[in-house]
Amino acid sequence: MSADEPVGREVKLYVYDLTKGVARSMSQAFLGKQLDGIWHTSIVVFAREYFFGGGGIETCRPGGTILGNPDNVVELGDTFLDYPLFYEYISNLREDMFRFANLFKKIKLYCRKAFH
């Protein structure tokens, strides 16, 4: 590999069951339908875990959320974006689209347009 070739960075999907197995064992009795879990996912890239949390898009070390270790890890492949470009993209999403205050403003605006 030459110095000019881009270096791929591994991308993983972390999958968490928010119920820690309770949905699988109790859903049939309570709902009449089998649920294997109630899922939350995150993306791991550049040695950080990115997820949607109480403050919008958040980050931590892999496996460092309050959910602990993931129930499943899916290898998605590699990204050839460099970290500064990735960080700029995530920062823009964090500030605009996926910030809780902005998200609720957009939902409220949509509801006004849809129901008036």
Side-chain angles (χ1 to χ4, degrees):
M1 177 168 32
S2 73
D4 295 336
E5 289 184 46
V7 176
R9 303 292 181 164
E10 189 174 53
V11 181
K12 296 179 181 179
L13 178 74
Y14 277 22
V15 182
Y16 299 91
D17 176 9
L18 295 176
T19 70
K20 298 290 188 191
V22 173
R24 179 177 288 128
S25 63
M26 304 294 284
S27 61
Q28 186 68 44
F30 285 109
L31 303 174
K33 181 178 180 177
Q34 180 63 41
L35 297 177
D36 290 333
I38 298 176
W39 307 109
H40 175 76
T41 58
S42 63
I43 295 292
V44 175
V45 64
F46 297 108
R48 298 293 297 170
E49 183 171 354
Y50 296 88
F51 58 97
F52 190 76
I57 296 176
E58 299 183 19
T59 185
C60 65
R61 65 172 175 70
T65 71
I66 60 169
L67 301 172
N69 291 322
D71 295 293
N72 192 19
V73 176
V74 180
E75 302 212 6
L76 299 177
D78 293 335
T79 182
F80 290 91
L81 291 177
D82 61 9
Y83 180 73
L85 182 60
F86 173 80
Y87 184 78
E88 178 183 352
Y89 178 72
I90 291 294
S91 295
N92 287 336
L93 288 177
R94 185 181 284 150
E95 290 303 314
D96 180 37
M97 194 169 180
F98 291 103
R99 190 168 161 209
F100 261 129
N102 291 344
L103 189 59
F104 286 120
K105 285 179 193 173
K106 289 178 183 185
I107 290 170
K108 187 175 178 181
L109 179 63
Y110 171 77
C111 288
R112 278 192 202 145
K113 286 181 180 180
F115 297 105
H116 284 35

